[in-house]
Amino acid sequence: YKSLGEIMMLLRAFGRFAFSANFYFKISGRYYLNEEFDLNKWKSGQFVFQFIKENYICTRLYGLRSDVVPLWKKTLINGILLTRIGYPIENILADYIPKKYVERIGRLGVMGNGGSSNEIIRD
């Protein structure tokens, strides 16, 4: 239930923000920005995702504009039941965010320890 936990944490954490911004980044806790991170690559699209497969995004780091936060929250809430049967958040975001809002990014500019291995991942 990793994806269920992630969705619940994202919704709870976002609801506790005491500020607003024009653009939000979601970065997984074991990763950090490296010298390859280029803020200019994140300026297009309402959602900025790196696609691993056509219907599977990388959740190490992604971004979204403030005007699509309600769509993002709705997608997460609607995905709760799917995660209970093993559907990953990586598919939920790729499948249920309309493509017209999505900008694809090649390199994220992050590094850190991999989740299923102890190797250092540079992406």
Side-chain angles (χ1 to χ4, degrees), residues 77-90:
I77 290 167
N78 289 341
I80 290 171
L81 288 177
L82 291 171
T83 64
R84 301 221 24 191
I85 59 169
Y87 203 70
I89 188 172
E90 293 86 353

Side-chain angles (χ1 to χ4, degrees), residues 51-57 91 94-95 99 104:
F51 279 77
I52 295 171
K53 299 179 198 172
E54 190 55 37
N55 69 337
Y56 194 90
I57 69 155
N91 288 116
D95 288 344
K99 302 297 183 241
R104 293 171 180 243

Side-chain angles (χ1 to χ4, degrees), residues 30-35 109-113 120-123:
R30 68 173 71 91
Y31 297 96
Y32 54 91
L33 302 179
N34 65 19
E35 70 281 352
V110 297
M111 64 186 299
N113 287 335
I120 298 293
I121 293 176
R122 269 184 94 84
D123 193 2

